[in-house]
Amino acid sequence: MADLGRGGGFGAYYSGGPNSITVDIPQIPVFVPERANAILRTLVQQSIRLALSEIAGRVSDEAGRFADTGNLAQSFGADPATSTGGLELLVAGAGGADVVGRVFSSLPYAIVMELGRRAGQPISRSGIDAIGLWAERKLGLSTAEAEGAKWAIAQSIVANGIEGKHYFETGVNQARPKVEAIFRILGEQLAKALLAPGKGQTGTA
């Protein structure tokens, strides 16, 4: 896993391998509110980005088990996010106080793969084209063969529906312990730094 948040000399990052999380917190100038707030905002943003990276990796791995084109897995892992999805950190509010992170895919079949499709629901043209690409890679068909097969496959899906794979839910649940650890360590080290002004803090798990 890439080292995240080290550029400014502090932050949340993986160290010593993907299972070791370190949060470095510098001296927080509690008597200089603007500077203190800026440091805290940076720490929170870096921690959220680290958590997003963990979630994206897990979700991408799960998506790759079911979508053989690779496009679905790759869409979740793009950082920064592209038009097809990825990791995104949204900062708003006064002084950037509101921070929201998300891992997403805008591919039309992402939600279908997650939740499934009831019988009788129509399939969009882009969805049918995606089926053709899947048929080429999964079934080994030529482009011409897949062009005919995709319509037959689409008709079968409309008639019978498909079962949801719940790859996103599974990936998030797998990432949950690491994500919780990131914010637990961040909270612990922030508390220590605020109670002992003039000293930096480093916490590792």
Side-chain angles (χ1 to χ4, degrees), residues 21-145:
I21 303 166
T22 294
V23 176
D24 277 348
I25 296 179
Q27 176 181 344
I28 297 178
V30 293
F31 301 111
V32 186
E34 290 186 3
R35 177 60 180 153
N37 287 336
I39 290 174
L40 293 175
R41 283 196 299 271
T42 298
L43 285 167
V44 170
Q45 290 176 20
Q46 290 173 341
S47 298
I48 291 175
R49 182 166 292 281
L50 186 63
L52 293 178
S53 178
E54 176 68 20
I55 293 170
R58 298 288 187 172
V59 171
S60 293
D61 287 346
E62 286 299 310
R65 296 176 56 202
F66 303 108
D68 292 85
T69 65
N71 291 339
L72 182 59
Q74 292 171 13
S75 71
F76 285 106
D79 184 13
T82 67
S83 60
T84 61
L87 285 70
E88 190 170 64
L89 200 63
L90 307 174
V91 181
D98 298 327
V99 182
V100 177
R102 68 170 181 157
V103 175
F104 72 101
S105 174
S106 58
L107 295 176
Y109 54 90
I111 189 67
V112 177
M113 291 289 293
E114 173 70 9
L115 300 178
R117 179 186 292 273
R118 295 194 306 272
Q121 287 185 304
I123 301 176
S124 67
R125 180 54 191 262
S126 62
I128 293 174
D129 289 341
I131 291 172
L133 184 58
W134 173 86
E136 287 185 52
R137 302 199 177 184
K138 179 68 174 179
L139 305 179
L141 303 182
S142 67
T143 300
E145 291 171 332

